[in-house]
Amino acid sequence: MAAMATALITGGTAGLGRGFAEALAAQGHDLVLVARNRERLRDTADALSAEYGVGVEAMPADLVDADQRAAVAARLADGDRPVGILINNAGFGLKQRFVGGDLEAEQAMLDVLVTATMRLTHAAVPGMVERGRGSIINVSSMAGWISAGSYSAAKAWVTTFTEGLSAELHGTGVTATVVCPGFVRTEFHDRAGISKSGIPGFLWLDVDQVVRDGLHDARRGRLVSVPGAQYRVLSTLARYAPRPIVRRASEARKR
Ligand SMILES: NC(=O)c1ccc[n+]([C@@H]2O[C@H](COP(=O)([O-])OP(=O)(O)OC[C@H]3O[C@@H](n4cnc5c(N)ncnc54)[C@H](OP(=O)(O)O)[C@@H]3O)[C@@H](O)[C@H]2O)c1
């Protein structure tokens, strides 16, 4: 049997990324974890290798920084240490409005959500195609189907990019899957300073559910993974309702 693939996970120290790391380690995959906070990276790597007996590389990198992004890309392109699963997960939201907001914060969000996803995928895929197997999992959001500011626009890019990638990879043995969760209990909202109090309980998903469904869908080669029955209904509405109605509903949500 072929050796278990190594998985590289951006943002693998918290929230969804940490969940993906834990689930894949439990299945016996070696890991490469990318995040900024070195101490947390080391603690996470130590904890996962002690618990599951897998190899865990801690790779500190700020995906806003072009040189540090390039170092992660070089790790992905290294044919001597092949990475068979890439999870583009790192990300954050902004509380600000776009008009009059901090432009550098907008750029940083785009750098992590879009540029890092594009460049890391570009680095990882050729080796996967050559080996005839591999999996790209891009963490997008339900937000990509509505019109809730520049975060929505960036996630729309992630979703559409993954659709195109999947089509291009057809028949290669490499799959691309986009995970589109709604609200998930992670550090995301606290980090952005976004209040969680107005969000009804039935809309919250657990990390474990998103991770389980995402990995299941990726393994089956499915393109889109929408965890949770409530979001399968809502995503159907968001994707197939006339766009003017989606825009109106998105505005109402923000008020
Ligand atoms: N939570 C939700 O409701 C929700 C819903 C839909 C989609 N998502 C998406 O899910 C993904 C994961 O978010 P989460 O909710 O799990 O957030 P989280 O709990 O805040 O975790 C974010 C992770 O990304 C890393 N990270 C942040 N900025 C980074 C940077 N510049 N360079 C490298 N690593 C960075 C963080 O580590 P360091 O701080 O150490 O760098 C951390 O490991 C994101 O793409 C998010 O947009 C979240």
Side-chain angles (χ1 to χ4, degrees), residues 29-234:
H29 294 271
D30 290 338
L31 304 175
V32 185
L33 303 181
V34 176
R36 291 165 304 178
N37 185 319
R38 288 167 182 266
E39 199 182 324
R40 205 165 168 187
L41 257 177
R42 212 177 317 112
D43 289 348
T44 307
D46 289 350
L48 292 177
S49 60
E51 170 100 22
Y52 300 107
V54 295
V56 187
E57 267 174 70
M59 192 167 187
D62 182 348
L63 295 172
V64 171
D65 182 280
D67 292 339
Q68 296 179 47
R69 258 193 328 255
V72 181
R75 174 66 187 85
L76 285 163
D78 181 352
D80 295 334
R81 296 180 296 161
V83 171
I85 301 169
L86 167 62
I87 307 188
N88 285 302
N89 160 81
F92 56 88
L94 299 175
K95 194 184 178 190
Q96 66 183 11
R97 294 169 66 89
F98 179 76
V99 179
D102 177 357
L103 182 58
E104 292 316 312
E106 293 285 343
Q107 184 65 61
M109 184 175 76
L110 212 61
D111 288 342
V112 175
L113 297 183
V114 174
T115 305
T117 298
M118 189 267 287
R119 287 191 168 265
L120 300 190
T121 302
H122 196 265
V125 165
M128 292 180 178
V129 170
E130 209 176 285
R131 296 187 291 274
R133 58 191 297 200
S135 171
I136 304 286
I137 299 176
N138 292 331
V139 180
S140 185
S141 171
M142 282 282 300
W145 288 314
I146 63 172
S147 63
S150 50
Y151 177 79
S152 268
K155 290 304 195 183
W157 184 92
V158 175
T159 300
T160 306
F161 169 70
T162 313
E163 289 177 329
L165 180 68
S166 167
E168 228 181 277
L169 289 172
H170 188 76
T172 62
V174 183
T175 59
T177 299
V178 62
V179 177
C180 301
F183 296 112
V184 195
R185 292 186 192 88
T186 69
E187 297 169 20
F188 181 92
H189 296 86
D190 291 340
R191 283 181 192 243
I194 298 169
S195 166
K196 291 179 282 192
S197 59
I199 301 164
F202 79 97
L203 286 181
W204 286 98
L205 300 167
D206 285 328
V207 165
D208 287 350
Q209 182 181 5
V210 180
V211 165
R212 198 185 334 110
D213 287 5
L215 291 178
H216 176 80
D217 288 335
R219 212 166 292 122
R220 300 193 54 178
R222 286 202 186 127
L223 169 57
V224 181
S225 180
V226 177
Q230 71 277 51
Y231 284 109
R232 281 191 283 279
V233 173
L234 288 170

